[in-house]
Amino acid sequence: FDWICNYGPSFVLPASNCDVLYEPSDFFKELNHIFANAKQRIYISSLYFGTDPYEYEMIDSIRTALAKDPSVRLVVLLDYLRGLRIDNHKEKTTSKSMFLSLIEQFSSQVDFYLFHTPLLHGFLRKIIPMRYNESWGVQHMKIYMADDTLIISGANLNRAYFDNRQDRYLKLNHCPDLCQFFIDIIETVGKQSFKVKLDHPEPIFLGENHPFEGDNTQYRRDVENDLTSLMKTYQTRFPKPDSLSDDQALIIPLIQMGMFNINNDRDFNIHLYSHLPQHSILYLATSYFNMTEEYAQELIDNKRQDTTIKLLTASPQANGFYGSRGMSQYVPIGYSENEREFVEKAEKKCANDGQIQMLEYFRSQWTYHAKGLWLYENGKDYPVLTCIGSPNFGARSIRRDLEAQLAILTNNETLRTKFHRERSRLFQYGTNVTGETFKQTSRIAPLWGPLFMKIFRNFF
């Protein structure tokens, strides 16, 4: 597995510093705990921040830390388009408005950034309505830090993700170097984003070249240069370790920002899929099944015959878009079509021998949002490698969004047992899907289904 270190800086932690959280309620509890007890800094990177009582409680936890010590700093990076969308129409609340009280009370301690994708600019930006404009790309990294503690997830900070939307959550304790890496990533993106200031009604752009009103090409080049330089510095400072003991874990941050020509996560996955160990089992999970042709080719066409691949995705009823309004209501149909195409291709290639299996997650009253992978070596009961973070293995994650995840390699039995338990808890709600599934009346897509996904595939 030496090749893993080619895709990011190498951080080595005691395996005992890694805690797997299993339920949304655990995630909410731990976030409140680390935020309220922060003594130096709180960093939040997410798509958006909700506007329900859960989120007001979290604001109070952050307020507790800021009020205790004027040296505590809060830095928030959200997406511009999603962060300014009105969630509560009665009270006109947005992600931005949720933090205004903190900015007012602790102005010298708070930096609030909103990243705007450079892919939406010019005439398109003027005509694409709110909510749909987010399809062009968003800030999607889910990194939550307090002092030297980091929680990485695929979950947003919203009521559903604290209640009945299943995701994955990993808490890393006492990891100052890894925290500093993500702090520098967030600050670098923040300096090329918009900042919310009390004396300005609209967020103020901080960089030299505006992402949608100025030189769009130069803006993208500026961000690419800043991030590439930063990542090279960290790879030099934290190279591949000479060895890894059984009480340690090797952690590699995988950054994916296709619009800035940063494709570490994509390249990592392609290499992994094409170099699976003999007789290994690869488990993949994604909330929105939209596998790229590149990934599908490695998983199906170039797959070793002695390996097994099992994929878990949301059933139509567990899809976050199920029952939504407007054009979004058709998205689960599109994902179902993607599944059908993938399953048919896999069955044709592998002749129904179980080498590639598709499962759909269904849990009554729950939605599904977990993603990542677990790799089991030949005959081993527990995974040696796992990846956890925000990417969905789809076209949008690769080309349009800002994504981050961690690749974690360990031979520590206790930690591997935790990852195995996590994987088992998710896959226990999975039901096998075959080509016959899509012949059922309830799964037959409308005639426009395949066309819909062909046109909009890169936007979901």
Side-chain angles (χ1 to χ4, degrees), residues 53-66:
Y54 281 97
E55 293 86 294
Y56 279 102
E57 183 177 340
M58 190 167 288
I59 290 292
D60 287 339
S61 296
I62 297 170
R63 191 188 313 277
T64 298
L66 295 176

Side-chain angles (χ1 to χ4, degrees), residues 250-308:
L250 173 64
I251 299 176
I252 310 291
L254 302 173
I255 305 300
Q256 182 62 39
M257 301 179 181
M259 71 182 79
F260 301 128
N261 295 314
I262 296 173
N263 296 295
N264 292 15
D265 186 64
R266 182 201 67 184
D267 295 345
F268 166 89
N269 278 283
I270 290 173
H271 187 101
L272 175 65
Y273 301 161
S274 59
H275 294 81
L276 292 176
Q278 290 184 354
H279 303 288
S280 60
I281 302 177
L282 177 66
Y283 290 86
L284 287 168
T286 177
S287 46
Y288 306 119
F289 191 83
N290 190 12
M291 195 72 69
T292 66
E293 290 183 13
E294 214 172 13
Y295 285 178
Q297 181 175 351
E298 295 298 341
L299 291 172
I300 299 176
D301 296 335
N302 299 337
K303 191 185 85 65
R304 294 173 57 101
Q305 290 188 351
D306 59 359
T307 58
T308 300

Side-chain angles (χ1 to χ4, degrees), residues 191-207:
K191 289 173 183 175
Q192 295 284 0
S193 299
F194 293 76
K195 187 173 183 179
V196 174
K197 294 187 176 183
L198 290 178
D199 53 350
H200 289 84
E202 298 295 328
I204 304 298
F205 180 66
L206 299 177

Side-chain angles (χ1 to χ4, degrees), residues 152 182 252-254 265 269 372 387-391 393 403-407:
I152 187 168
F182 278 113
I252 310 291
L254 302 173
D265 186 64
N269 278 283
C387 290
I388 177 172
S390 62
F393 304 110
E403 306 279 19
Q405 70 173 334
L406 299 179

Side-chain angles (χ1 to χ4, degrees), residues 122-368:
F123 180 67
L124 266 181
R125 189 179 185 276
K126 297 177 181 178
I127 63 169
I128 302 296
M130 188 171 288
R131 195 161 180 256
Y132 299 107
N133 56 10
E134 296 162 31
S135 299
W136 264 256
V138 294
Q139 194 306 108
H140 202 245
M141 297 185 291
K142 316 296 173 58
I143 307 291
Y144 310 113
M145 293 179 284
D147 297 337
D148 294 334
T149 298
L150 182 151
I151 295 178
I152 187 168
S153 179
N156 295 298
L157 301 183
N158 169 263
R159 177 190 59 79
Y161 294 92
F162 305 141
D163 187 8
N164 63 345
R165 178 166 293 180
Q166 183 65 62
D167 213 298
R168 298 178 66 202
Y169 333 90
L170 178 67
K171 181 185 178 188
L172 302 172
N173 302 296
H174 310 299
C175 55
D177 294 331
L178 181 60
C179 283
Q180 191 60 53
F181 170 78
F182 278 113
I183 285 170
D184 289 342
I185 291 286
I186 291 169
E187 294 277 10
T188 300
V189 174
K191 289 173 183 175
Q192 295 284 0
S193 299
F194 293 76
K195 187 173 183 179
V196 174
K197 294 187 176 183
L198 290 178
D199 53 350
H200 289 84
E202 298 295 328
I204 304 298
F205 180 66
L206 299 177
E208 293 183 7
N209 293 286
H210 202 282
F212 58 84
E213 290 182 350
D215 188 335
N216 180 271
T217 302
Q218 187 58 48
Y219 169 80
R220 292 165 70 173
R221 192 177 296 126
D222 290 345
V223 181
E224 176 185 346
N225 290 340
D226 291 347
L227 289 168
T228 301
S229 175
L230 173 65
M231 292 170 66
K232 284 181 179 177
T233 298
Y234 269 91
Q235 282 197 268
T236 302
R237 286 179 55 200
F238 298 94
K240 179 182 71 176
D242 295 329
S243 62
L244 193 69
S245 65
D246 286 352
D247 61 352
Q248 293 177 322
L250 173 64
I251 299 176
I252 310 291
L254 302 173
I255 305 300
Q256 182 62 39
M257 301 179 181
M259 71 182 79
F260 301 128
N261 295 314
I262 296 173
N263 296 295
N264 292 15
D265 186 64
R266 182 201 67 184
D267 295 345
F268 166 89
N269 278 283
I270 290 173
H271 187 101
L272 175 65
Y273 301 161
S274 59
H275 294 81
L276 292 176
Q278 290 184 354
H279 303 288
S280 60
I281 302 177
L282 177 66
Y283 290 86
L284 287 168
T286 177
S287 46
Y288 306 119
F289 191 83
N290 190 12
M291 195 72 69
T292 66
E293 290 183 13
E294 214 172 13
Y295 285 178
Q297 181 175 351
E298 295 298 341
L299 291 172
I300 299 176
D301 296 335
N302 299 337
K303 191 185 85 65
R304 294 173 57 101
Q305 290 188 351
D306 59 359
T307 58
T308 300
I309 296 171
K310 299 185 179 184
L311 303 100
L312 177 67
T313 191
S315 66
Q317 295 81 6
N319 189 296
F321 289 98
Y322 186 76
S324 63
R325 56 190 171 81
M327 199 172 181
S328 298
Q329 65 185 296
Y330 304 116
V331 172
I333 295 173
Y335 286 125
S336 182
E337 274 297 288
N338 290 345
E339 277 185 71
R340 181 188 60 77
E341 290 179 7
F342 185 89
V343 169
E344 288 181 357
K345 188 175 181 181
E347 289 181 344
K348 184 177 180 181
K349 177 73 175 181
C350 301
N352 292 322
D353 61 2
Q355 289 184 23
I356 301 176
Q357 300 173 27
M358 176 71 75
L359 300 94
E360 287 185 346
Y361 181 101
F362 177 78
R363 185 179 179 185
S364 181
Q365 304 300 314
W366 282 66
T367 54
Y368 177 77

